[in-house]
Amino acid sequence: MTHPISFVSLGPGEPELITVKGLRQLQKADIIYCPATRNRQGEILSRAADIIRALEINETAIRCFMLPMSKDRTEAWKVYDALYNEAADRYRNGQRIVIVAEGDAGFYSSIQYIYDKFTKAGIAVQRTAGIPAFIAAGALAGLHIVKQEEEIVVIPGTPSADELSEKINAGYVIVIMKLSQCVEAVYECIRRHPQAQFHYFENVGTDKEYYTSDKQIITQKSFPYFSLMIIQAV
Ligand code: SAH
């Protein structure tokens, strides 16, 4: 008997922010694949594995797979292909496989690549929704993220200062993911739009969680990988 390969969204970092459904999937799993990276000292870092270890789950099921952080995704696709092959074998042997992702597994989450590959191969998959980081960020700061007739755009850290400015002028609420990739555009827009509010977040839901809307502090900060911004044009 085979069991569908389960993609579980872990939420933004705080272990309690996983869903009950996701937790049950993890508790039943024979193998839990977690994305990990290596720091400059060669240590393995996995926020996903940290979340799982804080929950009541059999830790021996955890398998970390190493994702290269370079912008060139070629190496990452190779890692995903190897993971796909291993998981497909275990699936055929009747094991219960879970593959996890931080936040929601279908929101700027490259793991969906493997999900699509299983689907194409006729292997059964399922996905459990999770709380994306920007929603948890809104709760942390007590923001009414969008209200009444307002519209929201969620973008990766790709805009130039002019492109970002245009969206602020258009009155959108703007969520910038992967903020570390557009530091200068954000600094510039803070200067150009004194009336707008800039909410800066990093490591939401972890013990390094940080929030500020102080423009002076923001323009003196460097933005780590786990940072995002919500801009409200008032
Ligand atoms: N699937 C995730 C997004 C992954 S893309 C989700 O649903 O939220 C990676 C980007 O998400 C990071 O560059 C950062 O902008 C944001 N992010 C993820 N977790 C975060 C956290 N705990 N605190 C702040 N930003 C976070």
Side-chain angles (χ1 to χ4, degrees):
M1 190 186 156
T2 56
H3 307 280
I5 295 186
S6 175
F7 286 73
V8 172
S9 306
L10 295 176
E14 194 177 337
E16 290 195 336
L17 287 183
I18 191 171
T19 61
V20 176
K21 187 172 174 184
L23 178 62
R24 294 215 173 109
Q25 294 291 325
L26 292 172
Q27 286 170 333
K28 283 192 297 192
D30 296 309
I31 299 287
I32 303 169
Y33 289 110
C34 294
T37 52
R38 233 177 250 285
N39 67 9
R40 279 193 208 97
Q41 291 76 42
E43 293 160 338
I44 296 176
L45 306 176
S46 173
R47 179 163 287 181
D50 291 344
I51 295 171
I52 292 167
R53 289 195 190 99
L55 296 165
E56 283 167 18
I57 290 162
N58 172 18
E59 285 188 23
T60 60
I62 298 176
R63 300 282 182 286
C64 284
F65 59 95
M66 306 305 297
L67 276 181
M69 287 307 278
S70 93
K71 262 194 151 185
D72 173 10
R73 300 307 282 164
T74 325
E75 288 305 310
W77 302 135
K78 281 190 202 155
V79 172
Y80 284 143
D81 286 338
L83 173 59
Y84 168 86
N85 288 327
E86 187 182 319
D89 281 347
R90 290 182 187 274
Y91 162 84
R92 290 187 197 101
N93 291 333
Q95 293 195 321
R96 291 177 199 268
I97 312 292
V98 171
I99 301 176
V100 301
E102 293 140 20
D104 180 80
F107 192 77
Y108 289 114
S109 189
S110 50
I111 204 79
Q112 181 71 14
Y113 166 75
I114 314 185
Y115 180 102
D116 292 339
K117 210 166 158 157
F118 285 127
T119 310
K120 281 197 195 101
I123 293 176
V125 281
Q126 63 180 45
R127 203 172 89 203
T128 308
I131 299 176
F134 81 94
I135 293 292
L140 169 65
L143 299 181
H144 194 168
I145 301 176
V146 266
K147 56 184 178 297
Q148 296 173 0
E149 257 79 271
E150 284 174 355
E151 296 180 24
I152 188 166
V153 290
V154 182
I155 56 174
T158 49
S160 64
D162 286 346
E163 287 161 347
L164 190 55
S165 242
E166 238 171 72
K167 290 192 169 61
I168 296 171
N169 285 334
Y172 293 120
V173 173
I174 304 157
V175 176
I176 310 177
M177 310 290 292
K178 304 179 192 182
L179 189 68
S180 55
Q181 295 174 11
C182 62
V183 183
E184 290 308 323
V186 168
Y187 290 172
E188 175 63 27
C189 282
I190 288 178
R191 285 190 286 272
R192 283 195 205 171
H193 300 272
Q195 83 294 354
Q197 284 177 2
F198 295 78
H199 301 278
Y200 170 84
F201 301 89
E202 68 187 42
N203 295 307
V204 174
T206 73
D207 50 10
K208 289 189 232 138
E209 172 176 276
Y210 178 77
Y211 162 64
T212 186
S213 58
D214 183 320
K215 289 173 184 163
Q216 204 158 9
I217 296 176
I218 297 172
T219 45
Q220 281 159 13
K221 271 196 69 53
S222 61
F223 303 157
Y225 176 74
F226 283 107
S227 66
L228 64 86
M229 178 161 275
I230 301 177
I231 303 174
Q232 292 177 318
V234 264

